[in-house]
């Protein structure tokens, strides 16, 4: 029985095709119900608020004369880290399964039903970001001669003969350079950086981090496009979504800005300001597109679910890796220069939990 022959008012649950039932229940239409002025105002409110919040951690770190208190900066940085983790699980992973998962209309149709494509896309995204991160780290090691610990020796007690002589010759030089770069990259309480650090250390750390960050921003931008389209075309839910999305985009922007503030961009570089602005502009532009398509766009259509589901799955993988590995594991578990001040460390952990909880709560509405 084709979808055109499906009669929802007369269904025999014992013989009906489950796919047709699910697709019927999930189908949507154009929900636009006016309030054009409020939608236009959302464009400008989100533009101003999310851009300002994204800029704050970068300004706090780079403009020393503002004398931003250390705990204000730490709050922005680690609250933002929690936001990124919660966004991955609550705002991307769950919607991706709803849109293209095995229990969705898409997931039960055609070749989408042949395999668990949603987790496969997420896994592919995670591994792709891992390879980029690893490649960047390896590139820095080769170019700058930084030696990593020999895991083979630590596990088996035997050194790799191909690297033994080289490591012994260069270890003293590399230790000092690696320590300086590691401090610059990971130390959260470096309110007064050592101005005597070499430019090569900054360049090394920058190249090691910038690739993973760009992937993170692209993942967040994909998500922001879907949010903007939905806000521009949604119906009865608009009054609830408007304030929730303002907070949502602001917290996400804080996470982006906090991650960016930890990257040692070259002095005078325009890149951090451009990246902040790019995030701030994405959702308003998507809202404008949604307003332009307000009478024709159907967020519940099969095509819209495929596009949104794939983008959400890709973004979920990116944010999962970045949040858990780049932000939490490296800062709290594998950072030898992590603060030993229990008060400050407790504050940092509480900020992460607060950011995670707040963003998870927003998932009730958006």
């Amino acid at each position: 029985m084709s979808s055109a022959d499906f009669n929802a008012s007369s269904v025999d649950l014992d013989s009906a095709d489950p796919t047709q039932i699910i697709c019927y229940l999930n189908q949507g239409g154009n929900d636009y119900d006016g309030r054009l002025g409020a939608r236009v105002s959302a464009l400008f409110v989100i533009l101003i608020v999310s851009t300002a919040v994204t800029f704050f951690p970068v300004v706090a770190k780079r403009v020393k004369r503002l004398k931003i208190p250390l705990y204000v900066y730490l709050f922005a940085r680690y609250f933002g880290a929690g936001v990124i983790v919660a966004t991955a699980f609550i705002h991307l992973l769950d919607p991706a399964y709803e849109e293209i998962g095995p229990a969705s209309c898409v997931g039960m149709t055609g070749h989408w039903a042949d395999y668990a494509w949603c987790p496969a896309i997420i896994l592919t995204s995670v591994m792709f970001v891992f390879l980029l991160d690893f490649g960047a780290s390896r590139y820095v090691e080769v170019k700058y001669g930084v030696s990593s610990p020999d895991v083979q020796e630590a596990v088996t007690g035997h050194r790799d003969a191909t690297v033994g002589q080289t490591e012994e010759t260069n270890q003293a030089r590399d230790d000092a350079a690696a320590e300086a770069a590691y401090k610059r990259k990971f130390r959260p309480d470096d309110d007064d950086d050592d101005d005597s650090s070499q430019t090569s250390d900054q360049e090394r750390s920058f190249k090691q981090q910038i690739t993973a960050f760009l992937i993170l921003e692209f993942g967040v931008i994909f998500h922001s496009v879907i949010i903007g389209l939905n806000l521009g075309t949604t119906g009865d839910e608009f009054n609830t979504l408007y304030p929730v999305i303002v907070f949502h985009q602001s917290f996400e922007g804080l996470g982006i800005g906090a991650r960016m503030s930890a990257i040692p961009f070259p002095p005078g570089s325009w890149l951090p300001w451009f990246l902040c602005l790019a995030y701030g502009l994405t959702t308003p532009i998507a809202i404008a597109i949604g307003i332009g398509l307000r009478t024709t766009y159907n967020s519940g259509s099969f095509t819209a679910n495929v596009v949104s589901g794939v983008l959400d799955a890709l973004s979920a993988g990116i944010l999962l890796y970045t949040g858990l590995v780049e932000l939490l594991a490296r800062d709290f578990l594998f950072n030898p220069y992590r603060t030993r001040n229990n008060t400050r460390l407790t504050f940092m952990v509480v900020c992460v939990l607060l950011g995670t909880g707040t963003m998870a709560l927003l998932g009730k509405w958006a």
Side-chain angles (χ1 to χ4, degrees):
M1 183 172 61
S2 67
S3 58
D5 299 329
F6 181 71
N7 184 1
S9 62
S10 179
V11 178
D12 183 354
L13 295 179
D14 292 327
S15 60
D17 184 355
T19 301
Q20 291 183 326
I21 297 174
I22 294 298
C23 289
Y24 175 81
L25 293 175
N26 290 344
Q27 72 180 356
N30 181 262
D31 297 327
Y32 179 74
D33 62 354
R35 291 177 285 188
L36 181 60
R39 297 174 198 271
V40 173
S41 73
L43 188 157
F44 290 101
V45 170
I46 292 175
L47 171 64
I48 294 171
V49 175
S50 64
T51 302
V53 173
T54 306
F55 271 105
F56 173 73
V58 180
V59 172
K61 184 69 180 293
R62 294 175 66 88
V63 184
K64 299 296 185 183
R65 63 177 178 274
L66 292 180
K67 299 186 182 302
I68 303 294
L70 174 62
Y71 276 89
V72 174
Y73 170 72
L74 290 178
F75 173 81
R77 177 168 177 176
Y78 290 103
F79 183 90
V83 165
I84 295 297
V85 174
T87 298
F89 283 98
I90 305 299
H91 298 267
L92 292 171
L93 193 63
D94 185 53
Y97 269 93
E98 290 181 355
E99 291 155 345
I100 61 173
S104 68
C105 176
V106 174
M108 299 175 70
T109 304
H111 291 296
W112 286 96
D114 295 340
Y115 189 73
W117 290 109
C118 184
I121 294 171
I122 296 170
L123 175 62
T124 301
S125 179
V126 169
M127 298 309 298
F128 177 71
V129 179
F130 160 71
L131 290 175
L132 284 178
D133 193 21
F134 173 73
S137 297
R138 182 58 184 157
Y139 168 78
V140 169
E141 289 177 357
V142 172
K143 181 172 181 178
Y144 295 97
V146 177
S147 299
S148 298
D150 186 353
V151 178
Q152 176 179 313
E153 181 184 12
V155 174
T156 66
H158 300 286
R159 287 180 66 86
D160 187 344
T162 62
V163 300
Q165 294 297 325
T166 303
E167 287 186 352
E168 290 176 1
T169 303
N170 297 328
Q171 192 64 44
R173 180 197 66 192
D174 289 347
D175 281 349
E179 180 175 342
Y182 213 122
K183 284 183 178 180
R184 180 171 297 277
K185 180 177 181 181
F186 293 120
R187 188 175 57 204
D189 53 348
D190 55 345
D191 46 328
D192 290 313
D193 286 338
D194 185 0
D195 294 334
S196 64
S197 296
Q198 297 180 356
T199 304
S200 61
D201 295 336
Q202 294 179 333
E203 181 183 0
R204 177 188 310 161
S205 184
F206 170 74
K207 289 183 176 180
Q208 195 168 23
Q209 298 180 71
I210 190 61
T211 302
F213 173 78
L214 291 176
I215 296 297
L216 165 65
E217 174 142 349
F218 289 148
V220 173
I221 283 177
F222 289 154
H223 177 48
S224 298
V225 169
I226 303 301
I227 285 178
L229 285 172
N230 289 336
L231 187 61
T233 59
T234 191
D236 295 338
E237 298 178 344
F238 177 79
N239 288 338
T240 302
L241 285 179
Y242 187 169
V244 170
I245 288 179
V246 171
F247 283 106
H248 179 285
Q249 293 305 104
S250 298
F251 292 151
E252 229 172 44
L254 190 63
I256 288 289
R259 179 72 183 93
M260 202 183 313
S261 69
I263 300 176
F265 288 91
S269 173
W270 53 268
L271 189 56
W273 314 114
F274 170 78
L275 293 174
C276 287
L277 188 61
Y279 170 78
L281 288 172
T282 300
T283 303
I285 290 175
I287 293 174
I289 294 173
I291 292 174
L293 301 174
R294 61 188 180 276
T295 59
T296 58
Y297 179 72
N298 177 9
S299 62
S301 69
F302 187 90
T303 302
N305 279 326
V306 169
V307 173
S308 179
V310 170
L311 290 180
D312 281 345
L314 289 172
S315 299
I318 292 170
L319 268 66
L320 281 171
Y321 180 89
T322 302
L324 297 177
V325 177
E326 295 280 343
L327 301 181
L328 297 188
R330 287 190 179 176
D331 270 7
F332 287 97
L333 301 179
F334 305 123
N335 177 11
Y337 302 101
R338 184 191 64 202
T339 180
R340 290 172 173 78
N341 184 319
N342 285 332
T343 300
R344 186 173 298 174
L345 191 58
T346 300
F347 178 79
M348 290 156 54
V349 173
V350 169
C351 288
V352 171
L353 297 178
L354 184 61
T356 303
T358 302
M359 202 63 174
L361 179 62
L362 289 179
K364 177 176 174 59
W365 301 279

